[in-house]
């Protein structure tokens, strides 16, 4: 059976625009609506495999409905410029995908869809209409199904599904609209009659005409009778306005909208221009075989923009570079200067000017001379992975690698790891067959990416911070962090026993056994059996998240037991069991420090995440006590004191806060004294706590509501604290507002070391998204500068330890904290080095202070 898919272009592009976070190209063009539209439509193409496809769009011109009723669709907000700018690109992409785009002046997209659906039905072809607009439901019949696009899924509506939803036959849908009206289209309906009343009238009388003819029925309330009588003309007009025209003179047949083959070259170029390299791979597109004009000598093309030219050739074709398998000895002889290297399952791929070489895995030890020269330039992607790979073969790595992963990270922070293939598609317009070596592309990419980093003002950050940090992190990963295995086993057994005891108590309070970790079973117990308030039922059952349970903590004793049980089971599975499983035969855990993951520049830790070891609870701190130094050695822990507040004082230039830090006073106490108008010696612990919450919260754009929730105080009181804070530190408020304004204009914030964070959310038309962008803009320069300082400190500490105490080893970094393992006899010198190098990592208008402690475990 042949099938037709008709897409409501306006509905889908709007849904994509508002449903997907802001996306933009490097030159600032919005792309989220196009991205989402391609995804939504392609899912249905895959699911249905239609023979005919059309995407209908409205034309910006009056329709017959406007001529009939001048107020039709009046009051609609204008289309946001960020969305309007994406329509042409979207239509071009859909056309290149082999789909027919249709528009007709004087008619709406709905009318085109209705006409095509009825045309298909008459020819015995099943029609599917994809839209987020319920108006299309009136088209449902034996041959027509509406695929109603929702926030997260698409619901098929046939006649039975419609009746189940609305309680009336689909033929009465237009009558329903005629009575209830439609605020979005400014269709008046019968004033005062809503959906519930309209449905009941249709159930009782059968149709709009019958309802109108029974407007004086005594069975109706006097008020309703009055509405029906007075709303008669409005209802009839509304029915005409709501009725989709299924006889639009399209001047085409179904054969004219047959699904065509994808236009590889056109779609490739469009996706490349839009920076949708993932789609290039998903659609299995290949680079056009027709070469573009080559760029002028020395020119670097704009990132993600090939106009103006680089040579684009199909590297997947017959002229793709051929790699020659050679011995390690021959490779060492042929690679005399800069080269690139790629890790492969069977060995290494190496490339330079004119050289494309493959060296087998078993020969890698003989490549040691290539990697021993500290002055040689070696290009790669993910240098730490390469260094670990070489280390397993007994090969050291002396130079600072030119890691393209970090080049790309600086240009697109927080957007996930790229790849050589993706970067080459984007920047060079080149590709290789899947599974083929791409070392030559990495070699070509390095100068192009470096040029873009230089243009962004981040070359010094790359060369002085990010690249030199690679060997530091590599060595930390290789060294690992020791644990007390016996202690971890014992703690795990204790947690398991306590969790079982809690489970028994919970089941006793519930009155019967049940699976506490099952949200469905837990929801039934709490909201049906125990009758607790606030139960919100979803498709899968009641919501039982931590926020819901916290709100019910004092409603029933079972709640606190459940929260405690969850904490115990998480600590047991994630840490007691998980950490033991991650430890090697020497009882050391080797985490993976992610250098190119976060948008702020901070390092993160994975497999396992050692930065997430709990510290706020006594139970959590027990785990830190089980991270230990080797026998005879100690852990020296150095922590920046209030570094983000110091940075805020520095960048804002607020004299009051700077003076507080210079005096050596406790800044939270000083703030409390100012906000509460009391001498410092009269500041209570509660006052200090509240001042501290404002001090840190202000950097994250905290508002009265959030502060009131954090402190458990009325919103009015929280607002007074924030206002008093801003009055006392006026330059801080000015700085934050100036930062937001600058970021809105440029599209990004910068740290004091010129690391950029792009914030497209600031230009969103969605107010909540925009507010989120404002909070990011306030915090990013502070948190990012803190991250930069910590990275610089790590490099300085690492180099100095290597020169002065080679047996001392950096083993951990967590936010503002560094940990070194060393011999007990070196503890004082290590402490001195940590303090000096961390304090000297940046020159600010106030000193950086470091708190240093030592002990046999992480917790002292």
């Amino acid at each position: 059976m042949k099938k037709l898919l008709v897409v409501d272009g306006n509905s889908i592009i709007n849904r994509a625009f508002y449903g997907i976070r802001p996306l933009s190209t490097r030159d600032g063009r919005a792309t989220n609506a196009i991205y989402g539209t391609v995804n939504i439509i392609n899912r249905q193409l895959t699911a249905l495999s239609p023979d005919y496809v059309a995407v209908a769009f409205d034309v910006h011109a009056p329709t017959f409905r406007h001529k009939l009723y001048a107020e039709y669709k009046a009051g609609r907000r204008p289309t946001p410029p960020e969305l309007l700018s994406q329509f042409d690109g979207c239509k071009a992409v859909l056309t290149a995908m082999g789909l027919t785009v249709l528009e007709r002046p004087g008619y709406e997209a709905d009318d085109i869809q209705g006409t095509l659906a009825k045309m298909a039905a008459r020819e015995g072809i099943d029609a599917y209409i994809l839209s987020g607009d319920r108006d299309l439901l009136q088209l449902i019949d034996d041959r027509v199904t509406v695929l109603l696009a929702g926030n997260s899924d698409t619901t098929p509506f046939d006649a039975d599904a419609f009746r189940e939803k609305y309680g009336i036959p689909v033929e009465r849908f237009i009558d329903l609209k005629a009575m209830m009206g439609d605020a979005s289209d400014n269709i008046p309906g019968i004033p005062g009659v809503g959906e519930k009343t309209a449905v009941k009238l249709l159930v009782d009388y059968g149709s709009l005409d019958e309802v109108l003819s029974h407007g004086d029925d005594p069975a109706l309330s006097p008020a309703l009778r009055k509405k029906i009588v007075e709303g008669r003309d409005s209802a009839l007009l509304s029915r005409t306005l709501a009725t989709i025209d299924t006889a639009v003179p399209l001047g085409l047949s179904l054969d004219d909208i047959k699904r065509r083959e994808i236009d590889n070259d056109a779609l490739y170029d469009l996706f490349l221009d839009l920076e949708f390299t993932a789609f290039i791979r998903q659609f299995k597109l290949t680079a056009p075989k027709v070469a573009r004009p080559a760029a002028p000598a020395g020119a670097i093309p704009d990132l993600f923009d090939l106009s103006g030219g680089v040579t684009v050739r199909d590297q997947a074709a017959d002229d793709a570079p051929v790699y020659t398998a050679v011995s390690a000895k021959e490779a060492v002889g042929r690679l005399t200067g800069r080269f690139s290297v790629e890790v492969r399952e069977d060995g290494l791929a190496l490339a330079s000017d004119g050289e494309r070489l493959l060296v087998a895995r078993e020969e890698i030890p003989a490549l040691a001379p290539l990697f021993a020269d500290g002055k040689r330039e070696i290009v790669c992607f993910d240098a730490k992975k390469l260094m670990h790979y070489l280390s397993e073969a007994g090969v050291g790595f002396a130079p600072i690698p030119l890691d393209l992963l970090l080049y790309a990270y600086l240009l697109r922070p927080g957007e996930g790891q790229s790849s050589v293939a993706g970067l080459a598609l984007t920047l060079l317009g080149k590709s290789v067959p899947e599974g083929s070596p791409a070392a030559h592309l990495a070699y070509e990419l390095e100068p192009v990416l470096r040029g873009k980093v230089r243009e962004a003002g981040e070359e010094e950050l790359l060369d002085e911070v990010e690249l030199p940090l690679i060997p530091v992190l590599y060595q930390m990963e290789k060294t690992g962090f020791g644990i007390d295995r016996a202690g971890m086993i014992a703690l795990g057994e204790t947690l398991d026993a306590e969790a079982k005891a809690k489970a028994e108590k919970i089941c006793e309070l519930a009155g019967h056994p049940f699976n506490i970790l099952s949200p469905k079973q837990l929801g039934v117990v709490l909201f049906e059996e125990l009758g607790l308030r606030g139960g919100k039922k979803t498709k899968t059952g009641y919501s039982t998240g931590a926020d819901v349970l916290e709100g019910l903590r004092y409603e029933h004793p079972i709640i606190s037991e459940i929260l405690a049980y969850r904490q115990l089971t998480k600590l047991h599975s994630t840490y007691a069991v998980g950490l033991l499983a991650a430890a090697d035969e020497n009882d050391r855990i080797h985490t993976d420090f992610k250098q190119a993951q976060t948008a702020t520049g901070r390092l993160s830790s994975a497999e396992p995440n050692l930065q997430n070891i709990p510290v706020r609870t006594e139970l959590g701190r027990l785990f830190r006590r089980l991270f230990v130094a080797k026998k005879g050695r100690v852990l020296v822990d150095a922590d920046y004191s209030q570094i983000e507040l110091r940075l805020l004082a520095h960048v804002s230039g607020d004299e009051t806060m700077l003076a507080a830090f210079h005096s050596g006073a406790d800044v939270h106490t000083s703030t409390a004294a100012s906000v509460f108008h009391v001498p410092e010696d009269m500041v209570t612990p509660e006052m200090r706590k509240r001042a501290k919450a404002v001090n840190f919260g202000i950097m994250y754009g905290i508002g009265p509501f959030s502060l009131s929730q954090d402190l458990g105080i009325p919103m009015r009181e929280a607002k007074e604290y924030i206002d008093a804070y801003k009055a006392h530190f006026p330059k801080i408020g000015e700085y934050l507002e100036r930062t937001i304004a600058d970021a809105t204009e440029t599209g990004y914030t910068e740290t004091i070391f010129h690391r950029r964070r792009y914030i497209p959310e600031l230009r969103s038309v969605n107010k909540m998204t925009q507010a989120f962008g404002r909070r990011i803009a306030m915090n990013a320069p502070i948190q990012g500068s803190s991250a930069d300082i910590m990275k610089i400190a790590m490099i300085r500490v690492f180099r100095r330890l290597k020169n002065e105490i080679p047996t001392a080893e950096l083993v951990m970094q967590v936010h503002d904290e560094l940990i070194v393992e060393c011999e007990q006899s070196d503890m004082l010198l290590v402490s001195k080095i940590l303090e000096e190098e961390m304090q000297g990592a940046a020159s600010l208008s106030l000193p950086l202070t470091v708190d240093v402690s030592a002990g046999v475990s992480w917790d002292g």
Side-chain angles (χ1 to χ4, degrees), residues 289-437:
K289 293 180 172 59
V290 177
R292 299 173 187 268
I300 297 172
D302 186 33
L303 186 61
F304 306 117
D305 181 5
L306 299 182
S307 59
V310 294
T311 300
V312 180
R313 303 194 65 187
D314 183 4
Q315 292 292 338
D318 293 338
D319 62 347
V322 175
Y323 279 74
T324 304
V326 298
S327 68
K329 183 178 180 181
E330 185 177 349
V332 171
R334 290 170 66 168
L335 298 171
T336 56
R338 168 195 286 223
F339 69 91
S340 60
V341 57
E342 174 190 331
V343 174
R344 299 177 59 77
E345 285 188 14
D346 55 354
L348 294 177
L350 306 126
S352 65
D353 280 332
E355 299 289 358
R356 308 287 187 267
L357 310 175
L358 291 174
V359 174
R361 189 177 189 125
E362 59 271 17
E363 291 225 22
I364 289 176
L367 289 175
L370 281 181
F371 300 101
D373 183 357
K375 295 181 180 179
R376 187 191 286 266
E377 290 187 330
I378 301 175
V379 180
C380 63
F381 187 92
D382 195 350
K384 285 201 288 103
K385 176 183 175 182
L386 170 64
M387 294 165 80
H388 283 298
Y389 182 89
L390 291 172
S391 176
E392 290 173 7
V395 176
F397 201 113
I400 298 293
L402 303 179
D403 189 345
L404 301 189
L405 171 63
L406 300 180
Y407 287 55
Y409 171 59
L410 288 179
L411 294 170
R412 277 293 178 92
E415 295 194 9
Q417 296 187 4
S418 184
S419 64
V420 170
L423 291 168
L425 273 173
T426 301
L427 286 163
L428 307 175
K430 295 184 178 182
S431 62
V432 292
E434 190 171 345
S436 297

Side-chain angles (χ1 to χ4, degrees), residues 727-860:
H728 187 67
F729 301 115
K731 285 193 176 180
I732 289 178
E734 292 170 10
Y735 161 76
L736 295 173
E737 289 304 317
R738 186 170 65 250
T739 300
I740 292 168
D742 290 346
T744 302
E745 181 180 347
T746 63
Y748 58 85
T749 59
E750 282 192 333
T751 68
I752 60 176
F753 298 94
H754 306 295
R755 180 187 302 277
R756 291 185 179 184
R757 176 167 182 178
Y758 294 91
I759 313 176
E761 291 87 353
L762 284 170
R763 297 176 179 176
S764 171
V765 294
N766 183 296
K767 294 300 180 185
M768 288 184 65
T769 303
Q770 199 178 95
F772 175 65
R774 289 171 61 87
R775 291 194 294 273
I776 293 175
M778 283 188 261
N779 180 248
I782 305 298
Q783 195 174 101
S785 295
S786 172
D788 292 340
I789 289 171
M790 175 52 80
K791 288 178 174 179
I792 294 167
M794 292 175 74
I795 295 165
R796 291 166 62 103
V797 168
F798 178 79
R799 288 174 175 171
R800 192 160 166 199
L801 290 176
K802 190 174 181 181
N803 289 332
E804 297 181 31
I805 319 174
T807 57
E809 298 169 307
L810 264 171
V811 293
M812 192 59 203
Q813 185 276 327
V814 183
H815 306 316
D816 307 328
E817 178 184 8
L818 276 181
I819 301 173
V820 173
E821 182 177 334
C822 67
E823 300 294 331
Q824 286 185 347
S825 56
D826 293 324
M827 181 181 68
L828 293 179
L829 181 55
V830 167
S831 299
K832 180 172 180 287
I833 289 172
L834 278 166
E835 186 173 13
E836 290 176 355
E837 298 307 323
M838 289 175 72
Q839 288 178 346
S843 179
L844 306 180
S845 52
L846 72 173
L848 288 171
T849 60
V850 179
D851 298 323
V852 183
S853 60
V856 294
S857 77
W858 191 354
D859 197 48

Side-chain angles (χ1 to χ4, degrees), residues 502-503 505-507 509-510 512-533 535-537 540-550 552 556-566 569:
K502 286 288 181 190
K505 177 68 172 174
I506 291 166
C507 292
L509 289 168
H512 62 84
F514 71 100
N515 182 358
I516 305 164
L517 296 178
S518 165
K520 188 172 182 179
Q521 292 184 37
L522 180 59
V524 170
V525 168
L526 297 181
F527 302 113
E528 293 183 9
E529 297 177 9
L530 298 179
L532 299 184
R533 61 177 178 80
K536 295 179 181 178
K537 202 163 189 178
T540 56
Y542 291 96
S543 175
T544 58
D547 55 338
V548 174
L549 296 189
E550 283 292 348
L552 298 171
H556 195 285
I558 197 172
I559 301 297
S560 57
E561 300 293 339
I562 292 168
L563 289 168
Y565 174 77
R566 284 183 175 180
T569 54

Side-chain angles (χ1 to χ4, degrees), residues 205-489:
Y205 296 102
S207 69
L208 172 63
D209 291 332
E210 287 298 314
V211 170
L212 296 178
S213 67
H214 288 80
D216 57 354
D217 190 338
L220 302 174
S221 70
L224 184 54
R225 289 202 302 268
K226 186 173 186 293
K227 290 174 184 176
I228 293 171
V229 171
E230 293 180 355
R232 175 186 177 83
D233 291 343
S234 179
L236 293 173
L237 170 66
S238 297
R239 180 165 64 182
T240 302
L241 294 173
T243 301
I244 292 174
D245 186 346
T246 59
V248 177
L250 295 176
L252 51 77
S253 68
L254 289 180
D255 283 344
D256 295 317
I257 60 171
K258 272 186 177 177
R259 186 178 177 187
R260 303 181 304 278
E261 292 291 325
I262 287 174
D263 184 336
N264 176 88
D265 291 5
L267 194 57
Y268 182 99
D269 285 344
L270 285 165
F271 282 161
L272 201 61
D273 179 60
L274 294 164
E275 305 172 23
F276 295 162
T277 52
F279 279 158
I280 290 177
R281 295 190 290 275
Q282 182 180 326
F283 283 77
K284 295 182 169 57
L285 303 175
T286 56
K289 293 180 172 59
V290 177
R292 299 173 187 268
I300 297 172
D302 186 33
L303 186 61
F304 306 117
D305 181 5
L306 299 182
S307 59
V310 294
T311 300
V312 180
R313 303 194 65 187
D314 183 4
Q315 292 292 338
D318 293 338
D319 62 347
V322 175
Y323 279 74
T324 304
V326 298
S327 68
K329 183 178 180 181
E330 185 177 349
V332 171
R334 290 170 66 168
L335 298 171
T336 56
R338 168 195 286 223
F339 69 91
S340 60
V341 57
E342 174 190 331
V343 174
R344 299 177 59 77
E345 285 188 14
D346 55 354
L348 294 177
L350 306 126
S352 65
D353 280 332
E355 299 289 358
R356 308 287 187 267
L357 310 175
L358 291 174
V359 174
R361 189 177 189 125
E362 59 271 17
E363 291 225 22
I364 289 176
L367 289 175
L370 281 181
F371 300 101
D373 183 357
K375 295 181 180 179
R376 187 191 286 266
E377 290 187 330
I378 301 175
V379 180
C380 63
F381 187 92
D382 195 350
K384 285 201 288 103
K385 176 183 175 182
L386 170 64
M387 294 165 80
H388 283 298
Y389 182 89
L390 291 172
S391 176
E392 290 173 7
V395 176
F397 201 113
I400 298 293
L402 303 179
D403 189 345
L404 301 189
L405 171 63
L406 300 180
Y407 287 55
Y409 171 59
L410 288 179
L411 294 170
R412 277 293 178 92
E415 295 194 9
Q417 296 187 4
S418 184
S419 64
V420 170
L423 291 168
L425 273 173
T426 301
L427 286 163
L428 307 175
K430 295 184 178 182
S431 62
V432 292
E434 190 171 345
S436 297
H440 60 291
L441 295 178
Y443 189 84
E444 292 181 53
L445 276 167
E446 195 279 333
V448 177
L449 279 168
R450 179 166 285 274
K452 304 316 296 179
V453 172
R454 186 180 301 121
E455 288 174 18
E458 296 178 291
E459 189 170 27
E460 184 176 356
L461 185 66
L462 174 70
D463 290 335
E464 302 300 323
V465 180
E466 295 294 353
L467 296 180
L469 187 63
I470 297 169
V472 180
L473 298 178
Y474 159 74
Q475 192 59 54
M476 290 173 69
E477 291 176 358
K478 189 175 179 183
T479 300
F481 202 166
I483 63 165
D484 175 355
R485 179 176 289 273
M488 193 73 75
I489 292 171

